[in-house]
Structures are given as C-alpha cells and as structure tokens.
Amino acid sequence: MVDFQNFNPERFAYAVEEASRGSAGIGTYNERSLHAVLKKYIAPDETFLEVPVGRFGADIARDNEIAEIQTSQVFRMREKLEHFLEYSHVTLVCPQILRHYIMKYDSETGEALYTRLSTKRGTKQDICQALIPIADMIGHENLALWIPFFDVTDLRPKMENRRRGKKTDTMPKTLVDEMYVTHPRDFLRLLPEGLPAIFTVKDVEELAQCSHYGAQGLCHLLTEMGLAARERRDKGAYYYTLIFESASQSSDGL
C-alpha cells in the first residue's frame, strides 16, 4: 500500500495511464474513474482490492491497514468506519476538486473535440462540510484521513442545438496539494493568517479567499471537534474563538 505521507507522482501518473488504457475511448469511461485511479495509485496489485473485512467489504486491505475511498457523501461511511476501526488502522481518502476543465467529445467516435476551463471552482475548505458527520471520529488512534486536492477533467458529449451534454465521467488532471490528517488540530492549517481572536465565517471567507460554503464548514467542523467555540450571535452572524489549549498544541503539526 502507498505511503500516504509521501506522494509519488510517477506512481500516480501510472495509475492515470492504466485507468485510461482500460477504456476503449473517451465516451466509454465509467462514472467512477476518479475512484478507480485512486485505487490503482494506492494499491496497484488487485489482490488487495475489494477485500471482505468482517461484515463489510474494504476498497483496499493489506496486512493491518485498510484504505477506503469516498468521493462524496462521507456520512454514508460512518457505520463502515466504526466497524473497520475495530479491526485495523484505516485511512479514509476524501478527494476534493479545486478546478474543473471541461472536455467535449464526439459521442459516436469518442474523439476529443476541445477542452476549456470551467468557471466552477472549489476551495480546500470545501471538504470540511463533508466531514462534519464524522467529526467525533477524527482523532481516533486507528483513523487517518488523506485529502488530495485535484484539478480534474469533466467529460461531456457535444450536443446539438447548444444543449448541455450530461457529464459522463471525471478524470483527475493534476494533484495540486494534499493533507494528511491524524488529529483534529491538523484542520487548523485551513485557517487563514491574520484571523482576529473573535471571528466570523465572513472573516474566514475573506482572509482565506475561499467559498462561503467552505468557510462555514470549517468553522462548524472546528467547533464539532472542540477546537473552536461559538461565542455569540450578532446581526445574523455567529462569532467564534479558538480554544487556545487545543490550538496551542497544533504548532508541532503545522
């Protein structure tokens, strides 16, 4: 299994190439190519894929290590995670998309026609909303999170009469950055510099230059994990403070 704390670009490029080679053309990728590439990167040997562990099947399992990939709806993982954590160490892989490139292709031939950059953007903080349902599990001695931040290519067939073709697949294009999380305080890395002692979601949004959705999720996640406290509400905005005892312990991991 891959060392999640040391990204291997050659191994990742090989995983992307293998996923592409497994398709007959652009139009025949499956809906889970991002998931497939991550599995190939983490464990090229298919012997370790889809392994029964207790009453659930693990995406990847080898020796005393399990890796689960969840590209969306992390809340659905809770029961499975609780079960796996009884057996071994688990790394939950939660990719976050930053930029989208749209590739139009001919639906009959699979030929790529053109690629353009979408106006749709994500931010690193956006991952926090997805993790709120498992906030109390982050920090478990047997749980780690690997969060790769990707630019991706969305594949869409070219339609007549300017109709918008339905996305048929998403392929990773570039790994922009990553986070390896073993403790709640690791998420303090997502807070911007210059944040006042008492801050709002809007403060985080403006200073971090992230989405409101992401700033809101980060504040909520830190609160659920006991790293921040919601002090008061004024004129429709909640005010937060970091819990200094927890925050001061973060210096070693940031």
Side-chain angles (χ1 to χ4, degrees), residues 36 43 56 66 82-83 91 96 124 133 139 141 144 160 166 170 179 221 224 238 246:
F56 290 100
I66 292 172
E82 289 174 341
H83 182 72
T91 300
Q96 174 62 42
K124 292 181 180 180
E141 61 180 359
E160 300 294 333
K166 183 179 179 182
T170 294
M179 279 183 65
L221 183 64
E224 289 293 314
Y238 286 108
S246 298

Side-chain angles (χ1 to χ4, degrees), residues 99-105 112-120 152-158 164-169 171 173:
R99 292 193 298 178
H100 293 256
Y101 290 81
I102 298 175
M103 177 184 286
K104 290 286 188 176
Y105 67 90
L113 301 175
Y114 62 86
T115 301
R116 65 175 176 84
L117 179 62
S118 171
T119 56
K120 183 179 180 181
V152 300
T153 299
D154 293 333
L155 306 181
R156 294 182 182 274
K158 185 174 177 57
R164 186 169 183 264
K166 183 179 179 182
K167 181 177 71 174
T168 57
D169 203 0
M171 286 290 292
K173 179 180 176 67

